Amino acid sequence: MQSTTVLVEGESDRLAVETLAGRLGHDLAAGSVSVVQMGGATSIVHFLDRYGPNGAGHRLLGLCDSRESRGIARALYRAGMGSGPLEELGFQICDADLEDELIRCLGVDAVLGVIADQGELASFERLQRQPSLRERPVEAQLRRFFGGRSGNKIRYAPLLVSALPAGKAPPPLARLVASFAM
């Protein structure tokens, strides 16, 4: 069985992918699937050299933010993986980022419920009162909450994925996990 390496930008993305895969009953180890966080999309060349066609020869899949998609596409082409839409090359694109996808998929009330369950609703409400965020949509405030404090993305990614109703996941994440079985 050929090994599959799933390249994701950061640790929160890795945890989200692994959490959804587990919820859907995918045994990543048994399927020779490893999810590797790259420490940022700009590091992809190193990981393509290591795992791609000129390295270990793994089947490569990935998840990236839309703002990184052009650089990812260029790197895949240069590594000999072809050109064309990233989705056809096994890489799924989040509109803004994975947190944005999770917020839209869950809805604001469910996300606030996850924050409340963690005892941090008062912290989020303080953040909402900051002058720079007062007039921003609540979705933008939530993204700032997750991205503004060290470790929050990593902490909340698996919690938000776990809160998803059965059968409902952000499309890029759902497509990525579904491709493990292919």
Side-chain angles (χ1 to χ4, degrees), residues 15-152:
L15 292 168
V17 169
E18 289 178 349
T19 300
L20 184 59
R23 284 190 64 192
L24 296 175
H26 293 285
D27 182 342
L28 298 181
S32 296
V33 176
S34 58
V35 183
V36 176
Q37 67 95 5
M38 301 182 293
T42 58
S43 299
I44 192 166
V45 172
H46 165 75
F47 291 92
L48 292 174
D49 288 345
R50 183 173 181 181
Y51 298 108
N54 299 316
H58 292 186
R59 175 179 174 234
L60 294 178
L61 303 171
L63 182 71
C64 68
D65 301 343
S66 62
R67 70 182 169 277
E68 306 295 348
S69 63
R70 293 180 71 204
I72 298 287
R74 280 192 304 274
L76 293 174
Y77 177 75
R78 289 182 186 141
M81 295 184 59
S83 61
L86 280 179
E87 292 85 357
E88 291 178 13
L89 299 174
F91 282 71
Q92 303 302 316
I93 304 169
C94 296
D95 281 341
D97 56 24
L98 186 55
E99 290 74 24
D100 175 61
E101 295 280 353
L102 288 164
I103 292 165
R104 281 188 288 115
C105 191
L106 276 167
V108 169
D109 290 340
V111 173
L112 291 173
V114 171
I115 293 170
D117 289 347
Q118 295 301 303
E120 293 198 319
L121 195 54
S123 177
F124 174 69
E125 290 168 346
R126 278 192 301 280
L127 178 125
Q128 286 183 295
R129 292 190 298 269
Q130 291 182 0
S132 63
L133 293 174
R134 279 187 204 139
E135 302 301 319
R136 305 283 316 264
V138 69
E139 294 84 358
Q141 295 169 341
L142 286 165
R143 287 186 60 221
R144 175 72 171 111
F145 176 78
F146 294 131
R149 185 185 308 160
S150 179
N152 254 12

